Amino acid sequence: MNRLNIRVYGILEYRGKILLIEESYLQQIIVKFPGGGLNFGEGLIDALKREFLEELDLPIVIRSHFYTLDFFQPSAFCKQEQFLAIYYKVYTHDLYRLKILDPKIIRLYWTPLESLDEDILTLPVDKKVVTLLKHE
């Protein structure tokens, strides 16, 4: 069965550093931007805000749309799924609240934008987003 897997991610920058998440997913360790899957009946922005609250206890504000995957990408975890990812630049006034709430998250870390390397991210589209961030 072919399915569409829609994901939405936030690029949170603070003092020149980008927030990344290391998490356990299907018995693998992945490094990615914060965010996750869209639930049926949910809008992209609502989903992203929900994900930040559920995973990190962090209320966010959408700054701008950054990138939408514009090529065919099968899911890295299920080849019968087409992966579609949308990225927004986000900010928060409540960074002091940042904490791990999701047990799948192993750690959070801030990486300086100038030293952010696509090789540390797991998903192919995240790698492209790093390239776009570094060339904006």
Side-chain angles (χ1 to χ4, degrees):
M1 175 171 79
N2 295 334
R3 296 178 14 160
L4 185 61
N5 183 353
I6 301 171
R7 316 291 285 179
V8 61
Y9 298 101
I11 301 165
L12 179 60
E13 185 175 351
Y14 179 71
R15 296 187 177 172
K17 296 179 180 179
I18 305 292
L19 180 64
L20 298 175
I21 290 179
E22 184 177 290
E23 73 176 36
S24 175
Y25 186 75
L26 297 176
Q27 300 177 341
Q28 295 181 39
I29 304 300
I30 65 171
V31 177
K32 67 183 195 73
F33 293 99
L38 186 72
N39 293 330
F40 183 78
E42 188 173 44
L44 294 170
I45 290 171
D46 288 339
L48 187 56
K49 288 179 176 182
R50 174 186 51 76
E51 287 286 344
F52 267 80
L53 282 172
E54 285 178 359
E55 294 181 351
L56 306 172
D57 193 34
L58 197 60
I60 58 164
V61 176
I62 305 300
R63 180 170 286 162
S64 63
H65 171 264
F66 184 71
Y67 177 71
T68 298
L69 180 61
D70 56 1
F71 56 90
F72 173 74
Q73 177 68 53
S75 168
F77 304 101
C78 179
K79 298 304 177 198
Q80 282 68 40
E81 285 186 349
Q82 180 175 346
F83 184 75
L84 177 62
I86 301 97
Y87 295 78
Y88 289 93
K89 286 194 168 187
V90 303
Y91 70 95
T92 184
H93 296 293
D94 301 314
L95 198 54
Y96 66 92
R97 288 180 51 170
L98 179 65
K99 65 180 171 265
I100 297 172
L101 296 179
D102 188 331
K104 294 182 307 233
I105 297 175
I106 298 165
R107 72 180 180 124
L108 309 173
Y109 54 96
W110 295 93
T111 302
L113 181 57
E114 67 272 0
S115 63
L116 185 60
D117 188 306
E118 67 179 42
D119 290 336
I120 66 172
L121 289 126
T122 305
L123 304 173
V125 69
D126 284 353
K127 294 174 185 291
K128 177 171 176 125
V129 167
V130 166
T131 301
L132 294 171
L133 278 170
K134 294 188 86 150
H135 292 96
E136 83 173 329

